[in-house]
Amino acid sequence: MGGDQAMSGTLYGLGVGPGDPELLTVKALRLLRAATVVAYPAPESGGSFARSIVAPYLEDGIVEVPIRIPITGGEPGEAVYDRAAAMLGSHLDAGRDVAVLCEGDPFFYGSFMYLFGRLADRYPVEVVPGVSSLMACAAALGAPLSARNDTLLVIPAPLPAGILRVRLAEAEAAAIIKIGRHFEKVRGVLTDLGIVDCARYVERATLDNQRIVPIDAVDPADVPYFSLILVHRRGAAWQP
Ligand SMILES: C[S@@+](CC[C@H](N)C(=O)[O-])C[C@H]1O[C@@H](n2cnc3c(N)ncnc32)[C@H](O)[C@@H]1O
């Protein structure tokens, strides 16, 4: 990937795992400690989840670049990533290595990919995979993601109910991500399909305040962004 500019810094996309700082990989930790500049997504005000995961490991003297992403209910505008790419590009041009933190894995719905899309043709880039929320939630539930030749569907909850219904009708196993304010719609679809009893809800997996709740017990007004639903239509298909 990228750059023939011998003097430029390297862009690292570091997967930092689902929340527990012990789920950072050895490689991500080494590169984090070596980076001069550490960038991370953050809300318009307040702290960054990705930064909080690596907070125990951050060295003094690093340059921190929060990438403030407005919570508009939709996808953040391209301008946010244009500005962030320009800012990180100036550090890379100056020969500084830049580590971009990404919760979970950078290439699994990770916002790092939008910086990668803007910078990878100009600079050396290394992507370090991370432990994804799907794996963390499966482990928390004690329920493998999918068994034997079952198909695993990964589907974002913001999609319209009709699309959720068609795709979930086909899958033996599913992970429904980005739930937040879409919980009620998702619960309705699962109920219509008769699979609500095959679904389980996990929020903030691997954190101290992790919660696993039956779908019927979830308060739709209190569903955080960092939650997902795993569906096992065939039940515990991994058992003998
Ligand atoms: C934009 S995607 C990013 C996924 C991330 N790159 C990964 O590999 O897990 C964000 C979604 O991942 C899920 N998620 C991330 N961390 C989670 C956690 N600790 N517990 C439950 N769900 C989580 C939620 O569904 C959230 O809305």
Side-chain angles (χ1 to χ4, degrees):
M1 283 170 279
D4 48 9
Q5 297 166 327
M7 300 308 291
S8 72
T10 296
L11 178 69
Y12 295 97
L14 300 187
V16 298
D20 178 350
E22 288 193 10
L23 290 173
L24 202 66
T25 62
V26 174
K27 183 163 190 170
L29 181 57
R30 174 175 63 77
L31 292 169
L32 175 69
R33 287 188 160 145
T36 315
V37 179
V38 176
Y40 41 80
E44 272 179 305
S45 61
S48 155
F49 182 40
R51 186 193 185 282
S52 73
I53 296 171
V54 304
Y57 309 123
L58 287 177
E59 303 283 344
D60 291 340
I62 53 164
V63 176
E64 294 195 34
V65 181
I67 301 170
R68 300 272 171 203
I69 299 175
I71 308 291
T72 57
E75 292 295 319
E78 297 296 310
V80 171
Y81 294 109
D82 287 344
R83 280 195 299 274
M87 163 72 84
L88 299 187
S90 65
H91 285 296
L92 294 163
D93 286 336
R96 291 187 277 272
D97 289 342
V98 175
V100 179
L101 309 180
C102 192
E103 182 270 328
D105 179 85
F107 274 2
F108 181 75
Y109 292 96
S111 57
F112 170 74
M113 72 179 76
Y114 306 116
L115 299 169
F116 176 85
R118 286 164 169 79
L119 297 169
D121 59 347
R122 285 185 284 144
Y123 302 101
V125 180
E126 186 172 349
V127 180
V128 179
V131 176
S132 182
S133 55
L134 265 61
M135 287 71 203
C137 289
L141 282 172
L145 276 177
S146 59
R148 307 184 196 281
N149 289 333
D150 286 357
T151 300
L152 172 67
L153 170 76
V154 179
I155 189 159
L159 287 169
I163 294 180
L164 291 173
R165 192 172 292 112
V166 168
R167 303 219 173 126
L168 284 164
E170 294 274 305
E172 290 105 358
I176 308 171
I177 62 170
K178 303 187 189 178
I179 300 176
R181 64 196 174 83
H182 302 282
F183 179 84
E184 199 69 281
K185 173 182 66 182
V186 171
R187 178 157 60 188
V189 169
L190 294 171
T191 304
D192 289 352
L193 291 172
I195 53 174
V196 74
D197 291 339
C198 310
R200 278 176 292 174
Y201 166 91
V202 185
E203 76 181 36
R204 301 190 178 95
T206 78
L207 293 170
D208 290 342
N209 54 354
Q210 167 182 299
R211 276 197 335 137
I212 297 174
V213 188
I215 301 292
D216 284 343
V218 175
D219 174 2
D222 189 24
V223 174
Y225 179 69
F226 289 103
S227 62
L228 61 73
I229 291 174
L230 293 184
V231 183
H232 295 91
R233 182 191 295 274
R234 297 205 302 123
W238 49 88
Q239 285 180 342

